[in-house]
Amino acid sequence: MENFELEDAVKEVMDGILPKKSRKIYEAQYDTFVKWCCQRKLENVNEDVLLKSKTLSSSTLWAHYSMLKTMLNVKRNIDVSKFYKLSAFLKRKSEGYKPKNPKVLTLDQIDKFLLEVPDKDFLMIKVALIFGVAGACRGKELHQLTISDVTDMDHALLVNVRNTKNNVDRNFIINNSNKNGIDLIEVCRKYMALRKPETTHSKFFVRYEKSQCTVQAIGKNTFGKIPQKVAEYLNLPNSTLYTGHCFRRTSASLLADSGASIDVWKRHGGWKSASVAEGYIENSINTKKIVADSIFGLGVGNSTESASAHQVSGSAVSASSASSTSSKNNILQNTIDGANRLLNIVNCSNVNIHVNINTNNKDL
């Protein structure tokens, strides 16, 4: 009797290793592998068996390997991490593979959409765009938002994001802004005021048709198509590449372009890994401009220190050349304008971006 109780206790602990949100996906991957083994009458699982089974494309190779590694450890107590030939094979298989990242929107494109698109048909999409970019939200996170997650504080909207993919709850603020004629808070309030009293569920986003909200909640798949609709209205090429992750990547890219440090960037989106943040900052156009200016003599000294500190900063401006100074100040001003425009959209509770201009051409 004690043995059975012990086995049940061990099973319960081992089952707890599996992530709750993707448990079914893990189990399906394991079941597929077991069926594959049964078809070939393979009873024992070893490194050679796994090498024969890995015929997947690079885009799914590591994800399926990770799930199978966990399941074999849980179900059969097999430590796949010690299969060094398999690890070497996976690395070689994925060499040269470049994932297709969703396209991102620029601040000018966001402003154009919010200013030009009529509220009559696109008010809900406008609000989803504001929320998505302001909070670096995934489509699923927008779908899960409830009316209790959004608090109107008169001067701003406070939005709480819960049950995230990486289990890091976060919040963000949408500030009032009249720049370019856009009042972000009033756009959101207009949509919130149209919510019907007879709505029985608590989901924040409800369907919007002909200037009226319905009682029907918006499905999670709809959020994945909203960025594409924005791109189509703006006549952007390859609109299908603006996927459900577009708003999150847009927010990260804008924040990187503004000159925010990696710590600020990670807190904003709830990212745990600095390597992902470095990827966004590495691809920042304004960062590349500052580096280019430093290389070709428009700035000195600060680039190396900034790179080692993993944050974007201005280089010292040479006072010997008026034309060089003017060029440098124009680039820095563009960076600062990007920061200010982003802060008009998003002012995270944990975010603090300080940008100073020295008009006397001293070190920044």
Side-chain angles (χ1 to χ4, degrees):
M1 187 68 177
E2 292 181 357
N3 290 336
F4 286 113
E5 291 179 355
L6 180 60
E7 289 178 1
D8 290 341
V10 171
K11 184 178 183 301
E12 183 178 352
V13 171
M14 295 305 292
D15 287 345
I17 296 175
L18 300 178
K20 294 180 179 179
K21 295 181 180 180
S22 52
R23 181 190 184 96
K24 292 182 179 180
I25 300 176
Y26 276 67
E27 291 176 342
Q29 179 63 26
Y30 177 73
D31 291 341
T32 300
F33 175 74
V34 171
K35 290 178 181 178
W36 180 87
C37 291
C38 291
Q39 291 172 356
R40 289 157 179 78
K41 299 181 180 179
L42 300 172
E43 297 181 358
N44 298 322
V45 177
N46 53 39
E47 189 168 19
D48 291 337
V49 171
L50 288 171
L51 280 169
K52 292 178 182 178
S53 70
K54 301 296 18 175
T55 58
L56 303 171
S57 63
S58 298
S59 60
T60 58
L61 197 61
W62 282 102
H64 286 214
Y65 163 75
S66 177
M67 289 187 284
L68 194 56
K69 180 177 70 172
T70 300
M71 293 302 296
L72 287 174
N73 189 24
V74 171
K75 299 291 186 179
R76 303 195 183 188
N77 197 29
I78 298 175
D79 187 0
V80 178
S81 64
K82 295 181 179 180
F83 293 170
Y84 302 114
K85 288 190 295 183
L86 178 62
S87 297
F89 168 77
L90 293 171
K91 290 178 181 179
R92 182 60 59 87
K93 183 83 172 177
S94 60
E95 283 181 357
Y97 170 72
K98 294 182 179 180
K100 293 182 180 179
N101 292 321
K103 283 184 168 292
V104 299
L105 299 167
T106 66
L107 277 173
D108 288 337
Q109 290 168 347
I110 293 172
D111 288 348
K112 182 178 181 181
F113 184 84
L114 293 176
L115 282 170
E116 295 183 0
V117 175
D119 290 349
K120 178 181 177 182
D121 300 311
F122 292 90
L123 181 60
M124 184 278 294
I125 293 179
K126 283 185 176 183
V127 176
L129 171 61
I130 294 171
F131 274 57
V133 174
C137 294
R138 304 174 178 90
K140 187 176 181 180
E141 291 170 349
L142 292 175
H143 172 252
Q144 292 176 338
L145 280 179
T146 65
I147 53 177
S148 61
D149 291 329
V150 182
T151 304
D152 191 337
M153 303 188 299
D154 293 334
H155 62 285
L157 296 179
L158 174 64
V159 184
N160 294 302
V161 183
R162 313 178 195 277
N163 300 319
T164 64
K165 180 180 178 181
N166 53 8
N167 298 315
V168 177
D169 290 353
R170 63 185 191 278
N171 53 47
F172 62 92
I173 283 178
I174 299 174
N175 271 347
N176 192 10
S177 170
N178 292 316
K179 189 171 184 178
N180 295 329
I182 306 171
D183 193 329
L184 300 176
I185 294 182
E186 286 307 313
V187 172
C188 298
R189 283 174 177 163
K190 181 178 179 180
Y191 176 74
M192 294 163 63
L194 293 174
R195 186 182 183 90
K196 292 185 178 297
E198 60 267 27
T199 304
T200 57
H201 59 82
S202 62
K203 289 292 180 68
F204 177 82
F205 283 100
V206 293
R207 295 187 66 84
Y208 178 83
E209 299 173 354
K210 298 179 180 180
S211 302
Q212 295 293 326
C213 285
T214 70
V215 297
Q216 183 181 356
I218 296 177
K220 61 181 180 180
N221 293 330
T222 300
F223 287 102
K225 298 177 181 177
I226 288 178
Q228 181 179 339
K229 291 182 179 180
V230 175
E232 288 174 349
Y233 181 88
L234 296 173
N235 293 319
L236 301 179
N238 301 316
S239 60
T240 56
L241 296 180
Y242 292 83
T243 66
H245 218 58
C246 168
F247 293 159
R248 184 168 172 83
R249 284 183 57 83
T250 296
S251 182
S253 298
L254 294 175
L255 195 57
D257 263 348
S258 74
S261 69
I262 287 183
D263 288 338
V264 168
W265 188 93
K266 287 169 62 179
R267 288 196 299 271
H268 171 52
W271 287 278
K272 297 180 180 179
S273 171
S275 61
V276 182
E278 290 170 351
Y280 280 105
I281 293 180
E282 178 185 356
N283 293 323
S284 167
I285 297 300
N286 284 324
T287 304
K288 292 181 184 296
K289 287 180 179 178
I290 293 174
V291 171
D293 289 344
S294 300
I295 292 174
F296 290 104
L298 293 178
V300 294
N302 289 339
S303 296
T304 302
E305 296 176 3
S306 297
S308 62
H310 296 290
Q311 68 182 50
V312 180
S313 64
S315 301
V317 181
S318 173
S320 61
S321 171
S323 61
S324 296
T325 298
S326 176
S327 176
K328 180 64 178 178
N329 284 340
N330 287 338
I331 292 172
L332 287 175
Q333 188 61 51
N334 289 337
T335 303
I336 293 164
D337 288 344
N340 290 333
R341 294 174 67 191
L342 176 61
L343 287 173
N344 283 329
I345 295 180
V346 51
N347 182 15
C348 303
S349 59
N350 292 326
V351 172
N352 239 336
I353 302 176
H354 299 285
V355 184
N356 296 318
I357 305 177
N358 192 322
T359 56
N360 295 323
N361 295 328
K362 297 181 180 179
D363 290 348
L364 297 176

